[in-house]
Amino acid sequence: MTVLQQMGQRAQEAARFLRTVSAKEKNGALLSIAAHLEKSEADILKANGLDIEATKVSGMTSSLLDRLTLTPKRIQDMARSVEEVAALPDPVGKVLGGQTLPNGLRMQKVSVPLGVAGMIYEARPNVTVDAAVLCLKSSNACILRGGKEAIHSASALERVMREALEESGFPDGCIQLVKDTSRESALELMKLNRYLDVLIPRGGAGLIRSVVENATVPVIETGVGNCHVYVDASANLEMACRIVDNAKTSRPSVCNAIENVLVHRDVAEMLLPRMKEALDQHQVQLRGCPETVRILGDCVVPASPEDFDTEFLDYILAVKVVGSLEEAIDHINAHGTRHSECIVTESYENSRRFTLEVDAAAVYVNASTRFTDGGEFGLGAEIGISTQKLHARGPMGLEELTSYKYILEGNGQIR
């Protein structure tokens, strides 16, 4: 039996235990995790320092380094988020529906955990905690596999959480981290059908594609955000500049940041210089179509076809001038990743058409795409943004980490 199979076996045993624990017991374990995170701040920062030093040697973009870096405040924020999860309603055991059948059987549809969830992600230590506590709250055991860039940080966080669970009387199979960061371990996890009920990748396009192409375990796609803002001919241009600036520069390394701006030709001459002035405050590189280059000049890098399909996760923005709303919608549906899309417009008719025809988990009218987040939606913490359509779409919170089963009670009915 391989190491991963042994982990899978422990996770299944833990999942069986978690199906029996009360909401009070789970919340107590979560609050213990929050307390242990704060108490172990020095050890966590020391481990994170090892990861940061290693990435400086190997080379990493500033935005990815920001994702990797932990600070005392970020650890405190982790602890607060765990406490917030503990305060959320328990998603398990809810009666979703029911009826008495003509034969007298009493039927109830009840929410239940998925079972054992696998998670593959990249250089974001906070995902280790987010995924673990959301799974715990929804009574799922989890097997986590982060990237090699954050392995010291993730290992320290796993150790802290498992110590808290042990004190709370929970089995060690509830939260497990794969220490082997080789490609072989990832491939084995993708095919661990006997033990995993679902696999959730969270990261860049390459990671998502690898999981979708190689996994035999059921997969929920999350995370890739090639998001757009389309500025319509009727748009308030001051509003458009604010939205584009916020959606690109407030935190470019996250999946709900925009990577593309589409501008209607009727307002391009007026908007693009103003937009560039705002983005220049953050040294954003513009990669534009020929029309954009004509308007803004040599400061714009001529865009390649690949630029309109790229999730930069950096201070880089692709810009294209379009001739109509229809062209913008066609472009988004062809190049987007079904994450978050925005139209800036004063036309109700155009906004209505955009929201109906654009295929994405979240579609905005006159607002930044940066709001696509479980907390911002009032849904609590989330494990990622699902960009697919089956089972879950949009922020994957506690409800999306459950399934349901039917419970039927009778008095001797036979068929």
Side-chain angles (χ1 to χ4, degrees):
M1 183 175 280
T2 68
V3 171
L4 270 175
Q5 288 171 338
Q6 291 172 1
M7 294 175 71
Q9 192 172 70
R10 288 196 297 272
Q12 284 190 331
E13 292 168 358
R16 183 175 179 180
F17 166 85
L18 288 170
R19 289 198 293 269
T20 68
V21 297
S22 67
K24 182 178 180 180
E25 290 171 309
K26 289 188 292 185
N27 292 338
L30 289 166
L31 294 176
S32 179
I33 287 175
H36 275 69
L37 286 170
E38 291 190 306
K39 185 173 66 176
S40 305
E41 178 185 296
D43 291 338
I44 296 169
L45 290 175
K46 182 178 179 181
N48 185 241
L50 296 175
D51 290 326
I52 291 171
E53 286 304 313
T55 56
K56 285 180 178 177
V57 173
S58 61
M60 179 179 275
T61 65
S62 59
S63 59
L64 291 178
L65 186 61
D66 175 63
R67 284 187 172 199
L68 173 63
T69 302
L70 293 177
T71 63
K73 183 181 184 306
R74 287 186 176 181
I75 293 173
Q76 291 168 11
D77 289 344
M78 277 187 201
R80 297 291 81 76
S81 70
V82 177
E83 292 171 349
E84 290 169 3
V85 170
L88 293 171
D90 194 328
V92 175
K94 294 166 60 176
V95 178
L96 305 174
Q99 60 178 309
T100 299
L101 302 179
N103 61 10
L105 280 175
R106 295 183 300 277
M107 181 180 73
Q108 284 189 327
K109 182 181 180 181
V110 180
S111 62
V112 297
L114 295 172
V116 179
M119 184 89 180
I120 297 182
Y121 52 100
E122 294 175 331
R124 292 186 68 174
N126 64 296
V127 175
T128 302
V129 175
D130 292 344
V133 301
L134 286 167
C135 285
L136 187 67
K137 177 76 177 189
S138 54
S139 295
N140 293 292
C142 64
I143 298 177
L144 310 174
R145 186 195 177 281
K148 65 179 184 298
E149 298 86 359
I151 188 60
H152 295 96
S153 306
S155 297
L157 292 168
E158 181 218 27
R159 184 170 59 253
V160 168
M161 291 189 289
R162 287 173 64 136
E163 287 172 358
L165 289 181
E166 183 179 359
E167 289 182 10
S168 302
F170 281 56
D172 62 3
C174 292
I175 299 172
Q176 299 178 83
L177 177 73
V178 179
K179 305 299 197 300
D180 179 359
T181 59
S182 68
R183 186 171 185 273
E184 288 72 25
S185 74
L187 289 172
E188 184 181 358
L189 188 63
M190 294 177 202
K191 300 180 187 299
L192 212 62
N193 295 64
R194 182 176 175 184
Y195 303 101
L196 292 184
D197 293 287
V198 65
L199 184 61
I200 305 170
R202 180 170 173 176
L207 172 67
I208 306 295
R209 184 169 57 251
S210 176
V211 173
V212 171
E213 290 175 355
N214 291 288
T216 54
V217 176
V219 173
I220 297 177
E221 296 180 51
T222 71
V224 178
N226 189 25
C227 306
H228 299 70
V229 167
Y230 164 58
V231 182
D232 190 35
S234 68
N236 178 312
L237 300 189
E238 181 182 349
M239 178 194 294
C241 285
R242 289 201 311 271
I243 288 173
V244 169
D245 184 31
N246 175 265
K248 177 73 260 185
T249 68
S250 61
R251 196 172 180 191
S253 63
V254 293
C255 60
N256 57 21
I258 62 167
E259 308 293 6
N260 294 263
V261 172
L262 306 177
V263 181
H264 195 286
R265 182 169 289 111
D266 290 354
V267 294
E269 296 272 3
M270 292 181 289
L271 174 72
L272 288 176
R274 295 166 65 174
M275 186 183 80
K276 180 182 179 301
E277 183 179 353
L279 296 173
D280 279 349
Q281 303 301 311
H282 301 273
Q283 291 80 52
V284 176
Q285 180 192 94
L286 300 181
R287 299 185 183 180
C289 68
E291 186 76 357
T292 302
V293 174
R294 182 190 67 78
I295 293 171
L296 294 179
D298 294 340
C299 62
V300 178
V301 177
S304 69
E306 293 75 21
D307 286 328
F308 294 104
D309 290 307
T310 300
E311 186 185 28
F312 298 111
L313 300 174
D314 204 347
Y315 290 99
I316 302 171
L317 187 64
V319 184
K320 183 178 182 181
V321 176
V322 296
S324 66
L325 169 65
E326 182 177 12
E327 184 182 349
I329 292 172
D330 288 345
H331 180 96
I332 290 171
N333 286 339
H335 298 275
T337 53
R338 302 187 298 185
H339 191 295
S340 301
E341 309 293 357
C342 165
I343 182 174
V344 184
T345 185
E346 295 296 297
S347 165
Y348 173 77
E349 180 181 347
N350 287 358
S351 70
R352 177 71 172 163
R353 185 176 169 192
F354 189 87
T355 58
L356 286 173
E357 296 186 30
V358 166
D359 186 14
V363 183
Y364 292 85
V365 177
N366 297 333
S368 171
T369 58
R370 288 281 285 110
F371 288 104
T372 306
D373 173 87
E376 294 290 340
F377 280 13
L379 305 174
E382 37 104 325
I383 206 166
I385 307 297
S386 172
T387 54
Q388 65 181 45
K389 299 179 182 180
L390 294 180
H391 174 64
R393 196 176 201 195
M396 280 197 63
L398 293 172
E399 300 287 344
E400 288 72 30
L401 289 172
T402 64
S403 181
Y404 54 83
K405 66 181 176 185
Y406 292 93
I407 298 173
L408 297 105
E409 297 178 345
N411 54 4
Q413 287 90 337
I414 60 173
R415 182 178 177 182

